[in-house]
């Protein structure tokens, strides 16, 4: 009788152990599948998650492994006017700084790694001369500044030509055949559609359609895998007058007095282009679109044509951290909010680099005129591309 009871007790114990083990197994499985269940764990067992990387937060640190290419050698892609090594500038400390994000390490940029990541893909920069600098920087970074005779000019595929009388073409497009990777730049200083008002008149004014994307984007967006947009510094009265641009909205000349304020017209265009790209994303689910925030100017004591200068050679940046949660470019941040277009936020980190501009060494500048808008290359735009690489 006692023997039978013992067997019965053991059987019940084994059954209980089996049930407990099954419950534990189920909880572990459910916890892995449903992270919200961690809310029911005791506080001391909570996982400490690393914050998502905000590449706009961080600081500039010295790095003797910089620059990523030589300003002497990258003549195939780099305009001589931006290669400060070819000017009379004698201090190049600005080449030896690296951007260190606050909460993460950026993946080290390597040209071969970039091409593998972009195998069979096309990256397009569309914007103003700062976009052109970013494009030239990336071409130098990919090639390490070395001559590449295998790279193919595919500008004709994108209608990129040099019009008669123009100093340069309206862009460049090159393909790396080893990975079938295409990198291109298209000039669109205002990021809105610009067309002659009277095509038969060589002295005609041009309609700048604030609410219409450039024809180039409408025609070729389907061919892009990564798109980087920017605009900003052409939005002033002088540029509009020199380019003979007339604001249009809804296909007719603008009559809204509010838009007579240039910054409001610029904001309308930025929101419009971002909204349009966002509306196209469902058609092209593989497309990664970025809006790059504005590149800061560093004129002191005047503007480019009134004696403004940026003569410093020592960066004001080392040791200073950018910790703000909001972008310094409120217009760009507002435009992309709630859309599938990502922000390539470079404004605050570039603001710290007043010593990295062309300054008085610009080859195209007149006497007494300094360029405190464009950057020496190698230089700050290389970091924009490192952050882009990290975000792709």
């Amino acid at each position: 009788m006692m023997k039978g009871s013992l067997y019965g007790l053991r059987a019940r114990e084994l059954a209980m152990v089996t049930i407990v083990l099954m419950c534990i197994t189920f909880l572990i499985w459910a916890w892995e599948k449903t992270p919200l269940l961690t809310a029911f764990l005791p506080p001391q067992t909570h996982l400490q998650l690393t914050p998502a990387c905000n590449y706009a937060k961080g600081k500039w640190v010295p790095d003797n492994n910089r620059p990523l290419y030589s300003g002497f050698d990258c003549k195939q892609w780099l305009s001589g006017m931006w290669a400060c090594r070819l000017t009379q500038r004698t201090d190049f400390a600005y080449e030896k700084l690296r951007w260190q994000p606050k909460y993460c390490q950026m993946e080290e940029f390597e040209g071969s790694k970039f091409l593998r990541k972009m195998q069979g893909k096309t990256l397009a920069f569309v914007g103003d001369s700062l976009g052109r600098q970013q494009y030239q920087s990336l071409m130098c970074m990919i090639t390490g500044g070395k001559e590449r005779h295998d790279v193919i000019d595919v500008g004709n595929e994108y209608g990129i030509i040099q019009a008669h009388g123009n100093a340069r073409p309206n862009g460049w497009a090159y393909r790396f055949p080893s990975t079938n990777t295409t990198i291109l730049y298209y000039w669109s200083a205002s990021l809105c559609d610009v067309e002659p008002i009277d095509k038969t008149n060589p002295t005609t004014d041009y309609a700048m359609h604030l609410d219409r994307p450039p024809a180039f984007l409408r025609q070729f967006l389907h061919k892009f895998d990564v798109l980087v947009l920017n605009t900003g510094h052409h939005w002033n009265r002088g540029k509009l007058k020199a380019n003979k641009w007339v604001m249009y909205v809804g296909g007719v000349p603008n009559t809204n007095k509010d838009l007579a304020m240039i910054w409001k017209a610029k904001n309308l265009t930025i929101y419009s282009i971002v909204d349009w790209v966002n509306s196209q994303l469902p058609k092209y689910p593989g497309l990664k679109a970025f809006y790059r925030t504005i590149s800061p100017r560093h004129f002191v004591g005047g503007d480019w044509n009134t004696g403004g200068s940026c003569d410093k050679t020592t960066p004001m940046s080392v040791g200073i951290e950018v910790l703000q949660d909001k972008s310094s470019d409120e217009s760009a941040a507002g435009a992309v909010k709630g859309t599938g277009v990502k922000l390539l936020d470079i404004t605050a980190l570039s603001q710290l680099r007043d010593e990295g501009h062309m300054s008085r060494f610009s080859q195209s500048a007149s006497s007494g005129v300094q360029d405190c808008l464009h950057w020496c290359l190698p230089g700050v735009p290389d970091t924009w591309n490192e952050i882009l690489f990290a975000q792709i």
Side-chain angles (χ1 to χ4, degrees):
M1 190 76 169
M2 188 178 292
K3 190 175 180 180
S5 297
L6 284 172
Y7 283 134
L9 183 61
R10 285 176 182 168
R12 284 196 297 275
E13 287 175 347
L14 285 171
M16 288 297 292
V17 169
T18 301
I19 292 169
V20 169
L21 287 173
M22 289 175 67
C23 289
I24 291 172
T25 302
F26 174 79
L27 283 172
I28 291 172
W29 175 84
W31 176 60
E32 289 177 343
K33 295 290 183 183
T34 315
L36 286 175
L37 289 177
T38 56
F40 299 101
L41 294 175
Q44 65 269 25
T45 61
H46 280 183
L47 291 176
Q48 296 300 312
L49 299 177
T50 304
C53 191
N54 179 351
Y55 296 103
K57 289 185 177 183
K59 62 184 178 182
W60 291 98
V61 296
D63 187 344
N64 285 326
N65 292 322
R66 301 293 155 131
L68 299 175
Y69 57 92
S70 166
F72 285 118
D73 297 338
C74 195
K75 295 176 182 175
Q76 190 174 4
W77 317 112
L78 178 54
S79 298
M81 62 181 176
W82 292 330
C84 285
R85 286 277 181 175
L86 303 180
T87 70
Q88 269 128 36
R89 185 163 182 161
T90 56
D91 106 75
F92 302 99
Y94 66 89
E95 291 184 348
K96 295 291 186 181
L97 291 177
R98 171 176 56 83
W99 179 249
Q100 175 58 60
K102 176 72 173 174
Y103 296 113
C104 55
Q105 290 286 338
M106 274 200 299
E107 185 177 2
E108 190 68 25
F109 186 96
E110 292 177 16
S112 58
K113 194 186 296 181
F114 180 88
L115 290 175
R116 285 196 302 273
K117 185 178 279 193
M118 288 293 294
Q119 183 154 5
K121 299 187 188 314
T122 296
L123 187 158
F125 294 99
V126 179
D128 59 20
S129 57
L130 278 305
R132 188 162 81 240
Q133 285 211 297
Q134 188 174 1
Y135 159 77
Q136 293 190 6
S137 159
L138 182 60
M139 293 298 288
C140 289
M141 290 168 70
I142 292 172
T143 60
K146 303 301 180 187
E147 288 279 327
R148 286 286 295 266
H149 300 293
D150 61 322
V151 179
I152 304 167
D153 185 339
V154 292
N156 285 338
E157 292 182 21
Y158 298 91
I160 291 175
I161 56 169
Q162 183 160 348
H164 180 70
N166 286 2
R168 64 179 68 90
N170 55 354
W172 294 271
Y174 288 96
R175 183 167 296 139
F176 293 83
S178 60
T179 55
N180 191 31
T181 303
T182 303
I183 313 292
L184 70 85
Y185 163 76
Y186 184 80
W187 168 264
S188 179
S190 64
L191 274 190
C192 58
D193 201 24
V194 178
E195 61 178 3
I197 294 173
D198 181 359
K199 293 180 180 178
T200 64
N201 180 1
T203 62
T204 184
D205 288 343
Y206 291 81
M208 57 181 308
H209 298 277
L210 304 182
D211 52 353
R212 187 191 298 174
F216 177 81
L217 277 180
R218 300 199 306 272
Q219 185 176 357
F220 294 109
L221 185 70
H222 69 282
K223 299 184 73 168
F224 303 154
D225 300 281
V226 179
L227 173 65
V228 182
L229 302 167
N230 92 283
T231 188
H233 294 293
H234 279 253
W235 290 89
N236 60 71
R237 290 283 169 206
K239 288 288 187 183
L240 265 64
K241 184 177 180 181
N243 291 322
K244 302 203 293 188
W245 287 346
V246 180
M247 293 183 194
Y248 272 54
V249 178
V252 297
N254 172 57
T255 56
N256 184 339
K257 291 182 180 179
D258 262 3
L259 295 179
M261 289 185 275
I262 297 287
W263 69 270
K264 287 192 175 182
K266 181 190 77 170
N267 285 358
L268 172 60
T269 293
I270 292 172
Y271 275 76
S272 175
I273 188 75
V274 168
D275 284 345
W276 179 79
V277 171
N278 185 57
S279 74
Q280 302 301 301
L281 292 179
K283 298 182 196 174
Y284 313 113
L287 174 63
K288 292 184 178 178
F290 296 87
Y291 187 89
R292 202 206 73 219
T293 62
I294 197 162
S295 173
R297 298 150 38 101
H298 286 93
F299 290 97
V300 175
D303 213 324
W304 68 272
N305 56 352
T306 57
S309 65
C310 47
D311 280 335
K312 291 184 180 178
T313 55
T314 303
M316 61 178 171
S317 59
V318 177
I320 298 176
E321 286 192 305
V322 175
L323 296 174
Q324 63 200 45
D325 291 316
K326 293 183 179 179
S327 173
S328 296
D329 188 342
E330 294 180 6
S331 177
V336 303
K337 187 176 182 180
T339 74
V341 179
K342 296 178 174 65
L343 197 67
L344 182 55
D345 191 1
I346 57 86
T347 304
L349 64 90
S350 303
Q351 186 67 49
L352 295 173
R353 296 300 308 278
D354 59 332
E355 90 297 358
H357 290 290
M358 297 301 306
S359 184
R360 65 180 183 277
F361 301 103
S362 173
Q363 294 176 349
S364 58
S366 306
S367 177
V369 176
Q370 296 197 16
D371 184 349
C372 304
L373 171 62
H374 297 101
W375 304 92
C376 287
L377 291 175
V380 172
D382 303 339
T383 294
W384 306 348
N385 284 321
E386 288 182 273
I387 296 172
L388 175 65
F389 177 58
Q391 288 188 253
I392 291 175

